[in-house]
Amino acid sequence: MQKIILFFFLTFFVFASKAQNIKLEGFVTDDSKIGLEMANVMAVNQQTKAMDGYSITNDKGKFLLSLKPNTPYTIKVSYIGYATFEENITTGTENSTKTIVLAEGMELDGVEIVREMPVSIKGDTIVYNADSFKTGTERKLEDILKKLPGVEVNADGEVEVEGKKVQKLMVDGKDFFDGDTKLGVKNIPADAIDKIQVLRNYNDNSILKGVENNQDNIAMNIKLKDGKKNFWFGDMTAGIGVGHDEERYNVNPKLFYYNPKYSINLITNFNNIGELPLTPQDYFKFTGGFRSMMAKGGSSFNVSSNSLGISLLRNNRAKEIETNFGAFNFSYNVTKAWTLSGFGIFNKSLTETETISTTSFLLPNSDEIASTENRNQVGTQENKLGLMKFSSSYKPNTNLQFDYDILARLSKQDEVGSLSRETIVMNNTATESIFTSQNQTPVSVNQNLSLYYTASPKHIIAVESQYLFQEEDPFYNANLASQPFNLSGYTAGQSRNDINQERFVKTNKLDTKIDYYYMLTPKSNINVTLGNTYSYQNFNSSIFQVLDNETVNPLTDAENFNDVDYRFNDAILGLHYKILTGKFTFTPGVSIHNYQLNNSQLATDYKQSFSRILPDFLAIYQIKKSETLTYNFAYTNNFTDINQLAEGYVFNNYNSLSSGNRTLENAIAQTHSLFYRKFNMFNFENIVASVNYSRTEDAIKTKASFDNVNQTSSPFNSAFADESISGFGNYGRSFLRNYKASVSARLNWSKFNNIREDFQTNVETLFTNESFTQVYNLKASTNYKNLPNIELGYSITINEYAGSTFYTESPSVKLDYFFLKSFSFVTEYEFYNYYNKDKSVNNEYDFLSASMIYQKKDSKWEYKVSATNLLNTTSLNDDSFSQFSTRTSQYTVQPRYIIFSLKYNL
């Protein structure tokens, strides 16, 4: 396989090296012979009127163009504040050099040149001309983004620029489903896009932009073509097909309307071919644009989810998926100062799963296996998910801004499953069948109220408040042949052990803070913060048994139920000083906290009251305009919520029982991070590297006791620190205009400390475990308008857990070709080789998909035949690691589908 991969990449680069173009290079300077950085240089072919080459000068004013030999060109150069340069030349057969001197003066034609340039930079904004990167096979925004230098799109629709995640997507300056980029990336039509603007150091609040550090904030704005404004546009797709002896369908209308006053976006999708416009994973990570107010406050109090372990599966890990999806987004400018916006999303999915897995439970500090559980499991889950957001922003002038947002989440999740289980302990094997069901209907409402006011050029005040209301009601049922746990009040000797648990968790959390900024100088300010976090939670749970005669046996002993109230209060006084000196920005800070904690259960109160001083420090070294080095240091107090304080038993799974610890204290985390970024527009070289180290003392860890494969656990504060080191590096560049390549590596090492208790003797043993994950990727692609384009990739993932090492190697190739002015052909092949170190686990599988599209130029109708999983692969593999066990799994995936679809473009 390695030889095949090497052949692919050698073929790619040999083909690239044989390009018959010649080079024109030189410098763009001013009258004083000083190089002008980021001047736009382009060569227009006088015969075809096409732009054959473009360049953006580096910090010394150097440019490089790759042009056809013996061809007449018009060389155009523009730079803000200088007169436009234009000259006709004819290339020869040899490389040549040229120095271009710009004269200071009004630049009128330069605006047009900048507009035509494929890539240009103005301040913190990178502007990509979409048509310069299109080859004819693009259908959605995602297809264009993948071709842009410095931009990456992962399988989940998340966009990264220069190694940083894009946090906000806008269309013509209006929010597009704020809080997630996937809906836009997967649905905005490619033919509607004129420009793609990447907004670095973004802050949608102009009042705070100059006083806050925004180096990690990236937004993206999609500029529409003029013909798409003040008109409805979009497409309506309907498809039918066959697969696995069943009829398949896909109905996918999308409508968009934009004008300066308001915008409307409507996206729907109904299918049974495994397309998930919004997965349950997307739903639970959808922020709605709400940011963490207390991010620089030194405390972390996160409300955890009682998700019951309901599988949040992606479409490639399911046997069957049927989806009904609808989403609506709007923005309305009531006046020039007042804007209303919002969205509503509904998703219903029915999923069937089939999984074969092996879980190995480890002996403490040893590579030996104490027990093994083999499962063959099938399940069906139904997810009904709803998201609604409404926002109001009032900006009467540049000195005042008033915002209100409300985000509501509603969901109903049901899952039923059955499995056959084989347990192996000391060469003794036992088998049984188990049936489980679980459901929940959680509700959460998050509200934000913010006021920003510039009293004078030296005084800025920001008042922010967020309120979270959340209710969860998970129910769990397990029906086993064996009795997994000896609970007081339990009736033993039943033919089946039917165990049930109800839970109800209610949360009210209010965060409020006032920030005052005093501008000492135009390059320095002092920030004083007064803040408070208050949380009140209630946790109720009960366990009951259904006997063989169908009577209910409630387990009423104190250890089997919970009725807990928990109050948490954090009063904060923070002080930060920010100064820009030369190429450096320093922001040292400190926050003083007073904590008040009280949990009430078992008819008693347990209170804690203490204070902490927590420092933090940020340094930014602006090496060049597009090259920075950032260091960040912080101490953080991490607090658990009520879920780990409730001391009554809670069923996590049919083989996992846990109880809380009301005396838990906070963990103290020390973090260091170093981030380097360089984006060279001269050769589109993109370098990103980061190193992160964290050390957590008094970490909240797990003490577990195993009876065969059944685990009883409780949390405790560890006297031994947990540590982790992670690193990421990516090098990418475009060359000869039509080629793009990148290589990346991601490493993560972690050390965990837990306690394993012997079930028979109650002897406790410190359980120290380490994991080391390595992910390496190599990609190369072409981008021609009139030739077939190829994208080659290779990735390898290495997971090392407690004596076990698993490898996943995956070469891939993608071919797309636009030909005869009407046909688009796209095919993609992925091969996976999954194995462990001693090859006792070894599985090879691959996926092949293809599509052929026919659409005449200027026609509104499109005809498409597509097929997924052409090789009819039945399953895929992965592995995972918990702090007491390792697990390998094989998932049944969807079979081959062949779909014929018809699309009408509005």
Side-chain angles (χ1 to χ4, degrees), residues 174-199:
K174 297 177 172 62
D175 288 349
F176 192 92
F177 292 96
D178 193 16
D180 183 71
T181 59
K182 180 177 179 177
L183 290 177
V185 166
K186 299 287 187 181
N187 290 285
I188 296 176
D191 61 1
I193 300 168
D194 181 29
K195 300 286 188 298
I196 298 171
Q197 297 176 331
V198 174
L199 311 174

Side-chain angles (χ1 to χ4, degrees), residues 213 215-216 577-581 583-589 616-623 628-634 673-676:
N213 293 306
Q215 72 281 352
D216 292 327
Y577 173 63
K578 177 182 176 181
I579 182 170
L580 284 73
T581 173
K583 294 185 176 182
F584 291 91
T585 301
F586 298 108
T587 310
D616 60 86
F617 178 73
L618 173 68
I620 303 173
Y621 176 30
Q622 191 74 44
I623 304 170
T628 59
L629 181 66
T630 303
Y631 169 73
N632 209 331
F633 160 78
S673 66
L674 193 64
F675 183 86
Y676 173 78

Side-chain angles (χ1 to χ4, degrees), residues 468-644:
L468 169 67
F469 171 79
Q470 179 173 291
E471 282 188 350
E472 298 174 292
D473 60 346
F475 174 81
Y476 180 75
N477 166 255
N479 189 299
L480 305 87
S482 62
Q483 181 181 333
F485 304 103
N486 292 317
L487 300 172
S488 60
Y490 190 87
T491 301
Q494 302 295 298
S495 62
R496 299 290 296 182
N497 292 274
D498 193 333
I499 307 170
N500 303 266
Q501 178 177 258
E502 294 177 321
R503 268 186 278 174
F504 186 80
V505 187
K506 188 174 182 179
T507 299
N508 289 272
K509 181 171 176 280
L510 177 65
D511 294 303
T512 305
K513 71 169 183 172
I514 301 173
D515 277 301
Y516 168 69
Y517 299 89
Y518 177 68
M519 306 299 295
L520 296 170
T521 69
K523 294 186 177 182
S524 65
N525 67 73
I526 292 176
N527 169 214
V528 179
T529 302
L530 290 174
N532 193 85
T533 294
Y534 174 78
S535 172
Y536 172 74
Q537 294 181 293
N538 178 258
F539 186 105
N540 287 278
S541 70
S542 61
I543 300 174
F544 63 92
Q545 175 190 14
V546 178
L547 305 180
D548 288 349
N549 61 10
E550 298 185 358
T551 61
V552 175
N553 173 32
L555 307 187
T556 57
D557 288 3
E559 65 179 27
N560 298 322
F561 71 89
N562 287 286
D563 184 6
V564 186
D565 294 329
Y566 177 47
R567 290 174 173 83
F568 171 89
N569 196 82
D570 175 17
I572 308 166
L573 173 62
L575 179 65
H576 288 81
Y577 173 63
K578 177 182 176 181
I579 182 170
L580 284 73
T581 173
K583 294 185 176 182
F584 291 91
T585 301
F586 298 108
T587 310
V590 64
S591 56
I592 303 171
H593 298 257
N594 179 259
Y595 301 103
Q596 303 288 332
L597 294 78
N598 179 35
N599 71 77
S600 302
Q601 55 183 310
L602 303 174
T604 60
D605 290 345
Y606 179 81
K607 299 181 180 180
Q608 298 180 60
S609 178
F610 58 96
S611 299
R612 290 284 188 274
I613 299 176
L614 302 173
D616 60 86
F617 178 73
L618 173 68
I620 303 173
Y621 176 30
Q622 191 74 44
I623 304 170
K624 294 178 182 178
K625 287 185 178 180
S626 294
E627 185 178 11
T628 59
L629 181 66
T630 303
Y631 169 73
N632 209 331
F633 160 78
Y635 265 104
T636 306
N637 273 5
N638 297 325
F639 293 86
T640 184
D641 73 345
I642 197 170
N643 288 277
Q644 290 188 296

Side-chain angles (χ1 to χ4, degrees), residues 111-137:
V111 175
E112 180 181 354
I113 292 177
V114 170
R115 181 182 61 82
E116 295 176 349
M117 285 291 291
V119 186
S120 60
I121 292 183
K122 289 187 176 182
D124 288 331
T125 302
I126 305 174
V127 182
Y128 297 93
N129 182 28
D131 286 342
S132 300
F133 297 91
K134 293 178 182 177
T135 61
T137 61

Side-chain angles (χ1 to χ4, degrees), residues 362-364 370-371 425 483-487 649 655 657 703-713 755-765:
L362 308 172
L363 288 172
S371 57
V425 183
Q483 181 181 333
F485 304 103
N486 292 317
L487 300 172
Y649 283 127
N655 64 351
L657 187 70
K703 179 172 68 175
S705 173
F706 287 86
D707 179 12
N708 296 333
V709 296
N710 299 320
Q711 172 185 337
T712 304
S713 62
I755 292 177
R756 175 160 178 160
E757 184 181 51
D758 186 272
F759 179 75
Q760 301 294 336
T761 65
N762 295 327
V763 174
E764 296 180 351
T765 304

